Amino acid sequence: MRTATSGQYSQEWWLGQLHDLQQRLAAVESWQQALDGRAEQQAAKPRRGGGSSQCDFTRLRETVGQVSDGVTAMALRVDHLETRLRQVEVLLDRLRSAGVREAIATGEAPSDMHRRHSQIKERYQRLVDQDLRNLARELCPADAGQWDRIAGGLPAARARAVAETVHMLFAPAQQGKPATAVDVQAALAHRGYATEGTDSRLRKVVDTANGIVRDMADVELPASLLFDVDVTTLSEDDYQAYNRQDTGTPGFLVAPAYAVQGEAPENRLKAFVFLAPGEAP
């Protein structure tokens, strides 16, 4: 039988022990069957001459009994070893789980939960950077002179439209209810945006946002959108410029950062910030 190396009983060592015992048990059972067959043959022979054959038969039966006892003992040992093996497997699983949790907590290894959040981040990024940009062009048409009176002009007006829409899409989740296209459209219209003809695009962004909220809640590792932030305190490493071609200092938050609990700040999906143009960062 194999021996454990360095006194460490790994799962592989226990599996080897179990395999050896099972092979031995199979060999002993085969031997017992052979002896049983010989005993039956002896019992079937007519008793002639009496003493010698009867003596052989008695010894054979005694041997069979001893082998049977040995098989029973071996079977008990196999059962015991299987029980120990199951205990070792449980212990190893716990140790592996603890190691994985520690690696995740220290940022040394990603988890399935982190990967799921990564996929949600991509959808959130696409919602803000593509879908809502397109919606803002309709909400703030270029031929409407009203935007020229706003600081930053049309680009700032469209970024404000996105910021307000983002808040309308995700704020209802804090009260445990989804956003609705009807409510969002009505609120945008009340604030002076051109909502006529935006029904289908609004429904798309509302459905996308509600899906993001649901999927964030379904992941056991908590994540949140960091609305409560003072953009003037953010360093350049903490945000991405919403007006990409411009330079300046952070003017206002367009869309919050997506933060996963325990995740290093550099791994977050950074906040979208509108830069006040004309001012050096």
Side-chain angles (χ1 to χ4, degrees), residues 188-203:
L188 289 172
H190 180 72
R191 299 183 187 194
Y193 293 107
T195 59
E196 186 176 354
T198 61
D199 302 55
S200 60
R201 196 180 294 278
L202 268 172
R203 283 195 297 271

Side-chain angles (χ1 to χ4, degrees), residues 95-114:
L95 290 173
R96 279 193 293 267
S97 297
V100 169
R101 286 195 299 271
E102 181 178 358
I104 291 171
T106 57
E108 295 177 3
S111 69
D112 288 340
M113 293 180 289
H114 283 90

Side-chain angles (χ1 to χ4, degrees), residues 62-136:
E62 290 174 352
T63 302
V64 169
Q66 292 171 357
V67 171
S68 180
D69 292 342
V71 170
T72 301
M74 187 74 74
L76 291 174
R77 183 170 177 79
V78 169
D79 289 341
H80 174 71
L81 190 57
E82 286 179 336
T83 300
R84 293 295 302 275
L85 178 61
R86 286 192 293 270
Q87 294 172 347
V88 169
E89 288 176 337
V90 170
L91 178 60
L92 289 174
D93 286 342
R94 289 175 179 173
L95 290 173
R96 279 193 293 267
S97 297
V100 169
R101 286 195 299 271
E102 181 178 358
I104 291 171
T106 57
E108 295 177 3
S111 69
D112 288 340
M113 293 180 289
H114 283 90
R115 281 187 281 273
R116 289 173 63 189
H117 276 305
S118 179
Q119 294 169 350
I120 301 171
K121 286 179 188 178
E122 292 177 2
R123 290 158 52 199
Y124 176 66
Q125 170 99 27
R126 190 163 55 248
L127 171 68
V128 174
D129 215 18
Q130 296 180 23
D131 298 340
L132 290 177
R133 276 186 190 275
N134 293 332
L135 175 63

Side-chain angles (χ1 to χ4, degrees), residues 112-124 126 170 173 207-225 258 260:
D112 288 340
M113 293 180 289
H114 283 90
R115 281 187 281 273
R116 289 173 63 189
H117 276 305
S118 179
Q119 294 169 350
I120 301 171
K121 286 179 188 178
E122 292 177 2
R123 290 158 52 199
Y124 176 66
R126 190 163 55 248
F170 293 100
D207 289 344
T208 300
N210 287 338
I212 289 172
V213 170
R214 285 194 303 270
D215 291 346
M216 287 176 67
D218 285 342
V219 183
E220 293 180 6
L221 185 64
S224 58
L225 300 178
Y258 186 116
V260 179

Side-chain angles (χ1 to χ4, degrees), residues 244-267:
R244 305 186 189 98
Q245 287 76 31
D246 293 339
T247 58
T249 57
F252 59 86
L253 180 70
V254 176
Y258 186 116
V260 179
Q261 179 176 298
E263 185 178 52
E266 60 268 21
N267 294 329

